Amino acid sequence: AQSVTQLGSHVSVSEGALVLLRCNYSSSVPPYLFWYVQYPNQGLQLLLKYTSAATLVKGINGFEAEFKKSETSFHLTKPSAHMSDAAEYFCAVSASGGSYIPTFGRGTSLIVHP
Amino acid sequence: DTGVSQNPRHKITKRGQNVTFRCDPISEHNRLYWYRQTLGQGPEFLTYFQNEAQLEKSRLLSDRFSAERPKGSFSTLEIQRTEQGDSAMYLCASSLTGGRVTDTQYFGPGTRLTVL
């Protein structure tokens, strides 16, 4: 069984400020972890994924996430927010074997103020 | 690579009517997934296919729902006797899975269903 908890349904930052979106997971087997972004009325786009290689994962648009097994966390960060980063962000976990069906968190809405 | 496409993008129907959605995956992808997303929630898994075989169905997939992938290419999701609770975004995703390939799902834009 696996689950994801995203802390904070809304995160508000100023343009140029650090972005930190929190994700904690639970998995009975070594996990694969993903961050997706969803813009209004669009599907999900993969930002980055962790698949048991390097614990610091770099993704698109300047985002990165660090896998911390001891904290069961996979937080998403970006050093400097841009207005275009405003969107819904989803963390997801899947088992590292079998059907690979991911379980998604409820999402965090990132609001960027000018 | 044209990505995953879904049709229609929007569907408004009256309660009790049947609706059918289509998903065209990325051409070389062997897996195809259907999800439902309601407002304020993440996607919830409904079912998936490997080639033409439907391998898993969620308990969310009531007997009013049926999905097919007849030739291992495009897929259809049909909802019979729609209810207002079926109103949601229906997302399709595809992936290339097998061997040492790590599964990454690529999502389509979704079909938004409104049941009046």
Side-chain angles (χ1 to χ4, degrees):
Chain A
Q2 57 209 26
S3 65
V4 165
T5 301
Q6 290 186 241
L7 299 175
S9 59
H10 295 83
V11 170
S12 181
V13 300
S14 298
E15 191 173 20
L18 171 72
V19 175
L20 171 61
L21 304 181
R22 299 178 185 274
C23 172
N24 287 89
Y25 71 91
S26 173
S27 178
S28 56
V29 298
Y32 289 162
L33 293 158
F34 307 83
W35 275 100
Y36 284 87
V37 61
Q38 186 177 34
Y39 298 99
N41 298 314
Q42 294 186 27
L44 280 71
Q45 180 183 5
L46 182 68
L47 279 176
L48 50 80
K49 63 183 179 183
Y50 165 77
T51 57
S52 73
T55 56
L56 182 62
V57 182
K58 294 186 183 298
I60 61 171
N61 301 340
F63 284 94
E64 64 180 38
E66 186 173 7
F67 172 69
K68 292 187 177 181
K69 184 178 179 180
S70 61
E71 298 177 8
T72 60
S73 69
F74 190 59
H75 302 330
L76 182 71
T77 61
K78 181 174 181 177
S80 177
H82 192 273
M83 296 295 290
S84 61
D85 294 327
E88 192 81 15
Y89 291 79
F90 293 94
C91 182
V93 60
S94 73
S96 56
S99 62
Y100 298 105
I101 296 171
T103 299
F104 288 85
R106 297 183 66 171
T108 297
S109 178
L110 177 64
I111 302 162
V112 183
H113 297 287
Chain B
D1 178 1
T2 57
V4 179
S5 61
Q6 292 187 246
N7 288 287
R9 293 292 308 275
H10 299 90
K11 179 70 177 179
I12 300 174
T13 191
K14 293 182 178 179
R15 188 178 55 185
Q17 297 295 306
N18 299 344
V19 294
T20 300
F21 311 139
R22 176 177 170 128
C23 171
D24 287 87
I26 294 172
S27 59
E28 67 270 23
H29 283 185
N30 56 353
R31 284 197 177 178
L32 187 148
Y33 302 78
W34 285 100
Y35 294 87
R36 181 179 72 183
Q37 185 179 22
T38 53
L39 199 62
Q41 301 291 327
E44 297 173 292
F45 168 75
L46 292 177
T47 188
Y48 90 97
F49 294 83
Q50 176 136 339
N51 300 313
E52 66 275 8
Q54 189 173 17
L55 295 188
E56 191 165 337
K57 293 192 281 188
S58 160
R59 60 179 174 80
L60 294 175
L61 210 69
S62 76
D63 55 5
R64 296 184 297 106
F65 288 69
S66 62
E68 295 182 340
R69 194 183 184 199
K71 297 182 179 179
S73 57
F74 73 92
S75 175
T76 58
L77 177 68
E78 181 182 17
I79 309 174
Q80 296 182 326
R81 305 181 303 280
T82 53
E83 302 172 356
Q84 289 184 325
D86 297 330
S87 295
M89 176 78 88
Y90 289 85
L91 295 168
C92 174
S94 70
S95 70
L96 179 62
T97 302
R100 299 177 68 86
V101 175
T102 301
D103 181 83
T104 296
Q105 296 186 16
Y106 295 86
F107 283 79
T111 294
R112 182 168 295 284
L113 173 66
T114 302
V115 181
L116 302 176

